Amino acid sequence: MVVSESSVRDETDPPPIGVFDSGVGGLTVVRAIVDLLPREPILYLGDNGRFPYGPRPVEEIRGFALEIAEHLVARGVKMLVVACNSIEVAAIADLADAHGVPVVGVIEPGTRAAARATRNRRVGLIGTEATVRSGAYERTMDGLAPDVDLISRACPAFVDHVERGDTSSDELLGRAREYLEPLREAGVDTLILGCTHYPMLSGLIQLVMGEDVVLVSSAEETAKDVYAALVSSNLLGRGHGAPRHEFLTTGDPDVFRRISHHFLGPELGGVRSTAIGVVEVAT
Ligand code: DGL
């Protein structure tokens, strides 16, 4: 186990915002939260040991999500940010009921931004199989902007490339052309990146979709919801110094550190491996 002592939180540290995903994808949401709320400490958990979630049955994803949430709450988080669409479609209601902390997701913020951005009222959605199968974006869009047509497509191979740190290979570009062609043909003018791994591929996706198509990443909108939820729950951090972020992975910490550093840069503090359910106490 790799432990970076400088990153280990102790009881006197202010309570962090808990952010979680099946892997490194949720770091796109962390990036946006850190930009908007630079004083808030983050405790991130990537369940890389059980990645990917997208092809799994909803019941299994729900079980993983509840375990992780319990783990983060036991570590003292003041809020849970579900930085994974596949987890949100499987478990958001249970997560909101299970613990006494506010829970913020990514689907409504992304849908809201897309409804605002579209001019021709034809919006594309790409995500994992679990997300697309759930119909959650269609239901959310129906509630927010019933005149918008939503055309969905699962892009299962994208996340494996991102977890390997590949955002630009020829193989990936070929996949993107194959996945995105039906959405281009459908004439969407806005595309929701309905998986938190996908903003890391936005250069490639924009290239394939063409420069007139607006890409919507839920990360920035979600960060605004996090801010609003902190204010309304009176949980905004009062610290003045640089906060201490901590990153946990159920996978290999060296791999997580290498890939995450690439995406998150200097904000990445120490990375520690963790077993879900085992809360290590800092000494
Ligand atoms: N980042 C996750 C999401 O937003 C999915 C990745 C996976 O398949 O595990 O859906």
Side-chain angles (χ1 to χ4, degrees), residues 21-22 51-54 84-86 128 131 159 195-197:
D21 177 45
S22 59
F51 172 89
Y53 279 15
C84 174
N85 294 261
S86 311
T128 65
T131 299
V159 291
C195 168
T196 52
H197 283 71

Side-chain angles (χ1 to χ4, degrees), residues 50-61:
R50 298 187 288 197
F51 172 89
Y53 279 15
R56 295 179 187 271
V58 161
E59 277 309 318
E60 191 177 23
I61 302 173

Side-chain angles (χ1 to χ4, degrees), residues 235-250:
L235 288 172
L236 210 52
R238 305 277 169 222
H240 291 295
R244 196 167 4 188
H245 304 308
E246 191 178 357
F247 296 83
L248 304 174
T249 175
T250 56

Side-chain angles (χ1 to χ4, degrees), residues 129-207:
E129 292 144 301
T131 299
V132 169
R133 217 177 29 231
S134 74
Y137 273 94
E138 281 82 353
R139 285 193 295 282
T140 309
M141 188 62 92
D142 269 354
L144 291 175
D147 63 317
V148 169
D149 272 340
L150 195 74
I151 299 119
S152 309
R153 184 108 165 94
C155 304
F158 278 175
V159 291
D160 293 319
H161 286 269
V162 173
E163 287 285 325
R164 290 200 301 266
D166 169 21
T167 55
S168 59
S169 67
D170 287 348
E171 188 196 338
L172 182 57
L173 186 58
R175 290 268 194 195
R177 292 212 161 99
E178 178 193 316
Y179 285 146
L180 301 175
E181 191 50 34
L183 295 168
R184 273 168 45 83
E185 279 172 9
V188 302
D189 72 353
T190 303
L191 180 64
I192 302 174
L193 308 182
C195 168
T196 52
H197 283 71
Y198 297 175
M200 293 160 183
L201 303 179
S202 52
L204 182 120
I205 294 172
Q206 191 81 70
L207 184 73

Side-chain angles (χ1 to χ4, degrees), residues 2 23 46 70 78 167 239 241 246 253:
V2 175
E70 200 176 318
K78 62 181 174 182
T167 55
E246 191 178 357

Side-chain angles (χ1 to χ4, degrees), residues 206-217:
Q206 191 81 70
L207 184 73
V208 174
M209 291 303 292
E211 60 187 21
D212 291 338
V213 173
V214 177
L215 302 188
V216 172
S217 147

